[in-house]
Amino acid sequence: MKEQDKKYLLDSIRAIKDFPKEGIIFRDITTLLNNKEAFSFLIEHLATRYAKMNIDYIAGIESRGFIFGAALSAKLNLAFVPIRKPGKLPFNCLKESYSLEYGQDTIEIHTDAFNNTKNARVLLIDDLIATGGTALAAVKLIHRLQAQCVEACFLLELQDLSGAKELANLTSVYSVLKV
């Protein structure tokens, strides 16, 4: 992607200083979603990138990963798999816990998410990678279902927090924008 295209996308994302607490710059993607040209441009870029990677499924992390993952799944005519917070999926699930700054959290995936297909090729997608805990847990869930995470894709990477570097030990990582 050209630098001017990256600037276009980054300019479509609102930066809110001191939210949710002082010293944090929150990247609000709702302004990108509300810009039909920017959102279409992003999905077209991702579709071009992934069209020839022989992907079987796109898995999105709750909740913003659902937005990008479902749109890309529809564009590429692929199945979409939600990875959710505990208690949100109605069938048998695998769980994976991960560390947060103060405590732990858990995500889940249906045990038949990839239709019991061994070595299914899966693209993981979310809006942002910071410390990488959620993404690491998601890749572990994909692997536990005997599928292959072909790549983890993020709209934004917060480089100072190094989550993408750690995730790269498990799968290839693509970040559209790095801040």
Side-chain angles (χ1 to χ4, degrees):
M1 180 179 286
K2 298 176 190 171
E3 287 304 313
Q4 69 187 34
D5 295 335
K6 290 179 184 180
K7 183 178 179 344
Y8 169 65
L9 288 175
L10 192 57
D11 287 348
S12 74
I13 299 168
R14 179 172 35 210
I16 301 172
K17 293 182 181 177
D18 299 323
F19 182 84
K21 63 182 185 176
E22 192 171 333
I24 302 291
I25 299 174
F26 184 82
R27 306 295 174 163
D28 179 11
I29 64 159
T30 63
T31 51
L32 180 142
L33 298 173
N34 198 6
N35 178 334
K36 63 185 178 187
E37 289 83 13
F39 186 59
S40 293
F41 178 79
L42 172 65
I43 297 303
E44 192 62 41
H45 167 72
L46 295 176
T48 300
R49 178 178 178 83
Y50 294 112
K52 295 180 181 172
M53 288 182 107
N54 201 24
I55 294 167
D56 300 309
Y57 297 88
I58 296 176
I61 300 172
E62 187 170 343
S63 65
R64 292 177 299 268
F66 293 1
I67 298 166
F68 299 109
L72 186 57
S73 291
K75 181 82 175 168
L76 294 176
N77 195 31
L78 295 171
F80 177 75
V81 173
I83 298 176
R84 301 214 56 192
K85 295 175 183 172
K88 302 289 184 180
L89 293 172
F91 189 64
N92 299 330
C93 294
L94 290 179
K95 302 173 192 274
E96 188 73 36
S97 294
Y98 58 97
S99 296
L100 298 169
E101 188 176 357
Y102 299 104
Q104 290 226 288
D105 209 345
T106 302
I107 54 174
E108 298 181 340
I109 192 169
H110 277 144
T111 55
D112 63 352
F114 307 122
N115 295 313
N116 302 312
T117 304
K118 290 189 181 7
N119 298 315
R121 293 176 52 83
V122 180
L123 169 66
L124 178 66
I125 194 165
D126 204 1
D127 68 324
L128 180 135
I129 184 162
T131 61
T134 310
L136 283 163
V139 171
K140 288 176 184 176
L141 285 172
I142 291 166
H143 290 168
R144 287 175 58 196
L145 289 175
Q146 299 181 342
Q148 175 188 357
C149 186
V150 174
E151 190 161 78
C153 174
F154 305 93
L155 171 58
L156 289 163
E157 176 185 331
L158 302 182
Q159 291 180 292
D160 291 349
L161 298 176
S162 302
K165 288 180 184 174
E166 187 174 346
L167 185 60
N169 293 321
L170 293 181
T171 190
S172 177
V173 177
Y174 175 64
S175 302
V176 177
L177 305 170
K178 296 179 181 187
V179 292

